Amino acid sequence: MKIKCSLITAFILLFTFTNTIAQSFDENNNRWAKGWANFSPNKVDYPQAEEKLPNIITNHTYLRNDIVYLMSGDVYVTNNASLTIEEGTIIRCDHENPANLIVTKGSKLIASGSKAYPIIFTSNKGAKSRNSGDWGGITIIGSGKTNTISGNGQIKGNFKPQFSVYGGNQHYEETTILNYVRIEFSGKSGSNGLSLYSLGSSSLVQNIMVSHSGQDSFNFQGGTNNIQNLISLKAQGNDYQIAEGFKGTLNNIMAIRHPYITSPKGSHALSIDGYNKEMGYTNAVTDVTISNATLVNLSDKTNYQHTNSAISASNSAMTYIHNSKISGFSDVVKFDKTYTSLAVIQKAFMMDNSFFNIRNEGVEVVNQFIDTGLLNILKYNRFTKSFANVKDLFNDPQNNVIPNFQLKQSLNNYMVMQ
């Protein structure tokens, strides 16, 4: 059960917490999403495609924003070519011959939009008729490090084998440049919205929104990078899948889920996997720091029984959560059987200066013999005494222009885990 403070202890903890923590959850900290994100993409009447992309791109190619492009079937960028996309460019993606963009090792996608003119990948269906999984997704293959024994792997999906290998020793590679990009209605046939394999540390990935993915929104397989300003909206799969020894930080990320939109196996805002069980691993497991995250399931007391934990930790992954909000889920975190003791969990997971609103106790474990002290990993975080409906907790969580996840009540009204 959630631990309850005596009045005196609670007052001391509240006073100490308020005066030692700089972050204020009374503010709306998601202004970075304003101006380029779209929380109602199905209402947009995009222009029709005018020019079809080739299925094999072997030379440096530039896409202009005065042309609307059609991507149909699998489009491979190969031969160390760069595909450069001008700000404001729209790429319509075929749903009948589902589109996928695969940027192979040594090649590069440079998609640098702007706040006023983001680059948009979207379904080629008309407004109000688009659905999750209309098309495939974007897969970028790097030569950075992964923790598989071989140091390599093969991307998921039915793609050409000669273009599917990822991994290497180019830790500092500039694998891609992605800035102000929207990816809408992707996730067909196992493809994720944006998959980044063995990402090099010199890559730039920021201001990316994946909406209504039929699979995961973001998938990081190996690599090293510090990434910021990501939005996942109503994915059926996980919002953020992080695996195969990825190391780095995710700062300013948002996951907005709905209790009725999930995969048959259940989905999580964060799924963090230490290593690939089938391929084994060398060196260290996945180790990620996540700051200023807003992970919200738009649930209430009539449907919250359909939710899972916000975070799934598996295969000894290491996670640090800081300055974040978690609301509407069953628990904060679930640990698989590789976490064999409380000491192992305490070493692998840390969360501080954060807020959570959940329906269960907070921590779920597969190893049921770990039955004491689990809630200690949630120390120094604030929480609701009882589950609150999303509309009662936040100012305007379902706003279609930009949701506002500022707390309605002062943070001082909430308990502190002790």
Side-chain angles (χ1 to χ4, degrees):
M1 296 179 63
K2 294 179 179 177
I3 301 173
K4 299 180 181 179
C5 303
S6 69
L7 289 176
I8 296 175
T9 304
F11 176 80
I12 294 171
L13 284 170
L14 287 170
F15 179 83
T16 303
F17 196 91
T18 302
N19 285 276
T20 57
I21 300 300
Q23 172 77 5
S24 173
F25 294 101
D26 299 338
E27 298 177 358
N28 180 16
N29 296 311
N30 295 324
R31 293 187 182 92
W32 52 267
K34 188 175 182 179
W36 64 274
N38 187 342
F39 293 88
S40 299
N42 216 349
K43 296 180 180 179
V44 180
D45 189 11
Y46 292 113
Q48 293 296 312
E50 304 165 278
E51 183 176 314
K52 184 176 178 293
L53 294 178
N55 291 103
I56 300 289
I57 297 173
T58 58
N59 297 311
H60 297 316
T61 301
Y62 185 81
L63 304 186
R64 298 161 23 196
N65 62 18
D66 59 344
I67 297 174
V68 178
Y69 296 89
L70 173 67
M71 186 165 66
S72 182
D74 295 336
V75 174
Y76 295 90
V77 184
T78 70
N79 196 37
N80 297 322
S82 293
L83 175 62
T84 303
I85 305 177
E86 187 179 14
E87 63 174 18
T89 302
I90 299 171
I91 298 96
R92 304 296 299 269
C93 301
D94 197 348
H95 68 282
E96 294 180 345
N97 182 22
N100 281 283
L101 177 62
I102 305 100
V103 183
T104 64
K105 277 180 68 171
S107 299
K108 188 181 297 185
L109 174 62
I110 303 173
S112 188
S114 65
K115 189 170 186 177
Y117 301 102
I119 293 165
I120 300 167
F121 292 82
T122 192
S123 167
N124 69 335
K125 288 183 180 178
K128 300 181 181 179
S129 62
R130 303 171 194 126
N131 298 292
S132 299
D134 274 352
W135 60 285
I138 299 173
T139 298
I140 300 174
I141 303 172
S143 303
K145 293 186 177 180
T146 183
N147 69 352
T148 61
I149 289 177
S150 66
N152 301 104
Q154 189 155 353
I155 65 172
K156 299 174 183 176
N158 186 25
F159 300 119
K160 295 181 185 296
Q162 67 268 37
F163 298 139
S164 299
V165 176
Y166 64 90
N169 295 313
Q170 297 184 35
H171 176 82
Y172 300 104
E173 178 187 63
E174 186 183 78
T175 311
T176 188
I177 297 174
L178 300 174
N179 192 19
Y180 291 111
V181 177
R182 297 207 309 260
I183 302 168
E184 303 170 352
F185 305 101
S186 58
K188 189 175 183 66
S189 302
S191 294
N192 301 303
L194 177 62
S195 295
L196 299 170
Y197 288 87
S198 297
L199 185 67
S201 62
S202 297
S203 304
L204 176 69
V205 180
Q206 61 183 22
N207 300 307
I208 313 294
M209 181 176 191
V210 179
S211 306
H212 302 281
S213 174
Q215 299 291 328
D216 298 344
S217 289
F218 295 89
N219 185 15
F220 303 96
Q221 299 281 127
T224 303
N225 205 264
N226 297 321
I227 297 168
Q228 66 177 354
N229 299 357
L230 306 181
I231 305 170
S232 171
L233 175 65
K234 296 183 179 178
Q236 291 185 12
N238 300 311
D239 295 282
Y240 301 92
Q241 171 76 33
I242 307 169
E244 292 189 8
F246 176 87
K247 296 192 184 319
T249 64
L250 272 62
N251 182 41
N252 284 343
I253 67 168
M254 193 185 306
I256 302 175
R257 302 195 61 83
H258 192 281
Y260 297 137
I261 302 175
T262 188
S263 72
K265 296 181 180 179
S267 305
H268 307 271
L270 295 171
S271 178
I272 305 174
D273 189 15
Y275 59 90
N276 188 320
K277 290 190 295 183
E278 297 178 357
M279 301 174 70
Y281 79 101
T282 59
N283 302 319
V285 296
T286 302
D287 188 349
V288 61
T289 295
I290 297 170
S291 301
N292 301 307
T294 300
L295 312 178
V296 174
N297 197 310
L298 301 173
S299 63
D300 57 38
K301 294 176 183 177
T302 68
N303 55 30
Y304 68 177
Q305 69 272 18
H306 300 292
T307 64
N308 297 306
S309 61
I311 304 165
S312 170
S314 59
N315 294 319
S316 304
M318 302 189 69
T319 312
Y320 173 38
I321 310 290
H322 180 62
N323 276 12
S324 297
K325 300 175 190 175
I326 295 173
S327 177
F329 297 89
S330 63
D331 293 278
V332 172
V333 59
K334 178 180 179 179
F335 297 99
D336 79 347
K337 63 182 180 181
T338 61
Y339 299 88
T340 54
S341 68
L342 177 59
V344 170
I345 290 175
Q346 289 175 322
K347 183 178 180 181
F349 182 89
M350 180 178 178
M351 176 172 159
D352 63 19
N353 191 28
S354 295
F355 169 88
F356 60 93
N357 167 53
I358 54 173
R359 62 179 171 90
N360 290 338
E361 295 179 358
V363 182
E364 184 180 356
V365 291
V366 172
N367 290 316
Q368 296 297 326
F369 62 85
I370 310 175
D371 57 359
T372 59
L374 276 172
L375 293 184
N376 285 334
I377 69 171
L378 300 180
K379 275 185 175 183
Y380 317 120
N381 300 287
R382 293 186 183 273
F383 65 97
T384 54
K385 188 175 182 180
S386 59
F387 181 86
N389 295 333
V390 66
K391 291 182 179 179
D392 298 329
L393 189 64
F394 299 113
N395 273 348
D396 197 1
Q398 294 174 311
N399 189 296
N400 288 330
V401 177
I402 181 167
N404 184 339
F405 293 106
Q406 180 179 352
L407 294 173
K408 282 187 174 181
Q409 298 185 37
S410 168
L411 196 62
N412 291 340
N413 290 310
Y414 299 103
M415 306 289 287
V416 178
M417 188 66 74
Q418 63 166 319

